[in-house]
Amino acid sequence: MTSSFQGFRSLIENSPDAISLIDSRGQILYASGSTAKVFGYEPEELVGRNSLDLIHLEDRVQMSRVLPELLAIPQSTLQWHARMCRKDGTCSWVESTACNLLDRPDVNAIAVNHRDISARIALEAQKKEDADLLARSYILVEEFAHAVAHDLREPLRTISAFTELLVHRMDLDDQSQKMAGYTVDAAARMSDLLDDLLLLASSGLTELPRPVELQCALAAATQNLGRAIEECGAIVTADILPLVYGNSGHLVRVFQNLISNAIKYRSKETPQIHIRAEQRGWEWVIQIVDNGIGIAPEQQERIFGMFTRLHGRNIAGAGIGLAFCRKIVEAAGGRIWVESQPGAGSTFCFTVAAAHPAAASLPPQVAFA
Ligand code: ADP
């Protein structure tokens, strides 16, 4: 009995938390040796003082309500965070947990555990500041991209229209006609690029997620790609897809970009594209498997960068599609990557949050582009 009592005592004395016993008025009856580590006071300096004296002045009024609340219910436990003062005058954030054991004859006191959480609070504040900074820079970049894309449109239209007019009005030789044609083509390509930039800039990633039937998002994407699918005779198949949590318009866009790429970067074989879904904990991993030309391992990270293309002008594209997919998926807290080997097809994978079963009763949202 004595040895187990000694054991408990040594546990309390050596705990990294400060442990104390207080009476119904908040007077400190006992303070463990570890109070010196948390507050800088030796236990004998604290015994007899009121525990409220240690609370920072600005938090004191609020904390004075804790004791009556605790006294109201015997055996109840309360937890709170407050700034507490150390002997050297500095303050730290302390998480306190108190249990009302006044009705226990062997204790007859309130047991309080104080843990210094300043490092945790500072880390959380830093994380929030970083997230705010990132959100602000996202908005600035989007506004800038929007303004640039918008302002470049007008001069581009003028270049294209007046070049065409010149070709019609003047008697140009074949060589000059060809050069004028290049100018008009280049203006058209730049216009497509601006369309993608505008779409990217106005993608509204701050929208709140909702339950989305992934099956409907895929149906919308394949419907939008109907002509491209038909032209090359692509076979698109899918598992039964789940209800997820996200933005329907964005998910349609991700499917559309990935399936369109599977068609564009096809091999000599008929394109076969299969969409798989596999649940891993709270998220789903969605895979878009193709039998296309494949991607070399050293290029697999690069292709998600803005304006990165591995192919020339013989295949249409601006190198924005995958960057857009990454932006959408990551903004929703997911990941996107590709597994591939040249000549052996590619599997593009992305994760999306699983919808809570209760969400199934809400109307799923799907936007057809
Ligand atoms: P775009 O298709 O407009 O060039 P993306 O950002 O969609 O832009 O794709 C970037 C590059 O990644 C493409 O230019 C292509 O080289 C490569 N790529 C994308 N999807 C596939 C795929 N399914 N198979 C092979 N290569 C691909």
Side-chain angles (χ1 to χ4, degrees):
M1 190 69 186
T2 317
S3 82
S4 76
F5 176 74
Q6 294 293 355
F8 281 130
R9 198 180 175 90
S10 136
L11 255 180
I12 287 174
E13 291 298 319
N14 293 301
S15 157
D17 298 345
I19 295 163
S20 58
L21 292 174
I22 60 171
D23 68 12
S24 58
R25 290 167 302 147
Q27 211 84 344
I28 300 173
L29 307 171
Y30 160 83
S32 66
S34 46
T35 40
K37 274 185 270 174
V38 179
F39 298 118
Y41 288 105
E42 291 306 324
E44 53 276 17
E45 292 180 273
L46 290 176
V47 173
R49 286 181 65 175
N50 194 291
S51 54
L52 266 186
D53 292 351
L54 294 177
I55 308 277
H56 188 283
L57 266 178
E58 287 174 21
D59 295 346
R60 216 172 271 180
V61 176
Q62 205 185 343
M63 287 303 109
S64 61
R65 295 189 200 118
V66 171
L67 196 56
E69 214 177 305
L70 201 62
L71 291 174
I73 310 171
Q75 309 271 339
S76 61
T77 301
L78 274 182
Q79 192 174 65
W80 65 91
H81 294 173
R83 283 165 293 177
M84 295 186 78
C85 306
R86 297 170 53 86
K87 189 177 177 179
D88 62 8
T90 57
C91 261
S92 32
W93 276 99
V94 174
E95 180 183 79
S96 305
T97 311
C99 184
N100 176 358
L101 302 174
L102 284 163
D103 66 340
R104 288 255 310 256
D106 53 335
V107 187
N108 190 23
I110 296 167
V112 193
N113 188 93
H114 298 287
R115 174 168 295 178
D116 190 330
I117 54 163
S118 305
R120 197 172 91 200
I121 298 269
L123 195 72
E124 277 165 14
Q126 184 62 48
K127 267 194 201 161
K128 188 175 174 313
E129 207 174 295
D130 291 350
D132 287 350
L133 192 72
L134 197 68
R136 280 203 300 277
S137 25
Y138 250 141
I139 292 170
L140 280 180
V141 169
E142 285 184 359
E143 281 174 359
F144 178 70
H146 205 277
V148 169
H150 188 265
D151 292 354
L152 285 180
R153 246 168 211 296
E154 204 37 55
L156 204 60
R157 255 197 292 263
T158 312
I159 293 171
S160 189
F162 277 90
T163 311
E164 278 174 358
L165 214 65
L166 272 177
V167 173
H168 280 108
R169 291 231 176 135
M170 294 174 74
D171 189 17
L172 295 179
D173 59 34
D174 285 355
Q175 189 64 14
S176 307
Q177 288 221 14
K178 221 174 180 178
M179 277 158 39
Y182 289 146
T183 310
V184 174
D185 280 355
R189 268 205 316 280
M190 195 163 162
S191 176
D192 288 346
L193 217 124
L194 290 179
D195 281 344
D196 285 345
L197 257 184
L198 266 175
L199 191 75
L200 190 68
S202 55
S203 55
L205 295 179
T206 43
E207 259 178 58
L208 284 177
R210 293 179 57 101
V212 180
E213 279 293 356
L214 217 47
Q215 199 80 42
C216 299
L218 175 64
T222 49
Q223 188 179 327
N224 294 338
L225 290 170
R227 202 147 138 218
I229 293 175
E230 212 175 293
E231 270 171 13
C232 65
I235 300 160
V236 183
T237 52
D239 289 353
I240 293 172
L241 298 181
L243 184 74
V244 297
Y245 212 54
N247 173 307
S248 56
H250 290 165
L251 286 164
V252 172
R253 196 77 212 175
V254 170
F255 273 134
Q256 203 169 310
N257 283 353
L258 297 179
I259 296 171
S260 150
N261 279 352
I263 293 173
K264 282 200 296 183
Y265 305 107
R266 61 181 179 264
S267 62
K268 290 198 177 81
E269 291 170 39
T270 303
Q272 295 207 10
I273 304 152
H274 183 72
I275 293 89
R276 265 197 229 134
E278 186 189 315
Q279 186 156 22
R280 288 190 200 155
W282 291 103
E283 60 183 20
W284 283 90
V285 179
I286 310 299
Q287 301 183 333
I288 290 86
V289 188
D290 70 41
N291 62 341
I293 53 177
I295 303 160
E298 65 275 15
Q299 307 288 3
Q300 289 172 11
E301 180 53 35
R302 272 191 70 222
I303 53 171
F304 292 93
M306 195 66 139
F307 304 122
T308 310
R309 306 203 68 217
L310 307 179
H311 295 87
R313 291 207 194 128
N314 52 327
I315 303 179
I320 289 180
L322 289 178
F324 190 33
C325 291
R326 168 164 278 181
K327 187 178 166 192
I328 289 175
V329 170
E330 290 185 352
R335 303 175 306 287
I336 185 166
W337 69 97
V338 62
E339 292 160 7
S340 179
Q341 281 301 327
S346 306
T347 299
F348 279 84
C349 313
F350 69 91
T351 61
V352 59
H356 189 273
S361 57
L362 294 169
Q365 288 242 316
V366 133
F368 290 76

